[in-house]
Structure formats: structure tokens, C-alpha cells
Amino acid sequence: MNPDLTTIPSALIVEDEAILLMLVAETLRDAGYQVYEAGNGIAAVNILQAHPEIDIMISDIRMPGMNGYEVTNAALALRPSLKVVLMTGYTEEAIPQNIANAGIRILRKPFDIEQIPALAKSVLSRPPD
């Protein structure tokens, strides 16, 4: 039996560190998510444009070129209802006011990779802002 793809949650993972990208993507796939992967911000925006079914974006903040804040701004301009989690290894990250006001969840590195599916489920179940 083929599952109805509209009921499978979709996630876009944006991370320039290949190992972390693979681990987060694999963990969400194992939890039943349809996963798209982007190694940079431009690829992420292209994937979002091509795949309107994406429910949640999990992105690193510090990336070369287009950083996670810029990716988030572009993503929310395309899809204002998109749920977003930003990952950072910096403890004193200055979060721009528009990002803080959008209800974006911040995930501090290092984190337990096994917590990613529960985090995604929690963010997706949050009512729209």
C-alpha cells in the first residue's frame, strides 16, 4: 500500500557540515519524515520553491554565503506559515528581532541527535502564529 504523501510530514535540513546534515536527515527519515537536504542557503531556497509541501525547515545559522537568518527570511517570504528551527553552536548568538518575533525555535549545538524527531513534532504541532 502506498502512503498518502500529504500525510507524511516533510522537512528541509539546511547545514553546510555534511556529517551533521546526513545525521539530522537520517534521524528524521527514520522517524517517518520526507526529508530534503541542502548544503547551503541558495539550495535551500530553491528546494522550498520547488516543494511547497515542506512543513518545517531546520537550518544552521552560521553558513558561508547565505546564513541561516537570510535563509529564514527568504523562506518566510515564500511561505509565511513555514515552521523553522535554527541550530547554532554559539551561546551568545544575537538573534535579529524579526526572527525572534516570528516564533523561531533555537536549538543549541551540541544536541542529542535523537531529540530531533520530538523537537520537529513539537514545533509542527504548535498553532500558527
Side-chain angles (χ1 to χ4, degrees):
M1 188 161 119
N2 209 359
D4 179 5
L5 292 179
T6 60
T7 63
I8 297 173
S10 294
L12 170 59
I13 314 305
V14 189
E15 172 63 61
D16 62 317
E17 201 174 308
I19 297 294
L20 187 53
L21 175 65
M22 181 204 62
L23 286 172
V24 173
E26 184 177 304
T27 301
L28 284 173
R29 278 191 192 99
D30 289 349
Y33 286 75
Q34 169 67 43
V35 178
Y36 300 90
E37 300 175 35
N40 62 62
I42 293 170
V45 172
N46 290 336
I47 290 169
L48 282 168
Q49 289 172 328
H51 295 280
E53 72 276 11
I54 293 173
D55 302 301
I56 186 171
M57 180 178 76
I58 302 173
S59 176
D60 191 17
I61 291 176
R62 297 283 183 196
M63 297 183 288
M66 192 177 204
N67 68 41
Y69 297 131
E70 293 165 330
V71 174
T72 298
N73 286 332
L76 293 175
L78 287 170
R79 304 248 316 282
S81 64
L82 182 70
K83 304 292 186 173
V84 178
V85 174
L86 292 174
M87 302 179 290
T88 183
Y90 295 90
T91 56
E92 296 301 319
E93 192 73 45
I95 300 169
Q97 196 60 44
N98 68 318
I99 298 292
N101 290 341
I104 307 294
R105 181 81 182 265
I106 303 294
L107 177 62
R108 303 273 181 211
K109 295 177 185 177
F111 52 83
D112 179 355
I113 197 72
E114 297 302 319
Q115 80 183 64
I116 294 294
L119 173 65
K121 183 178 180 179
S122 168
V123 170
L124 286 170
S125 66
R126 192 177 69 215
D129 297 328

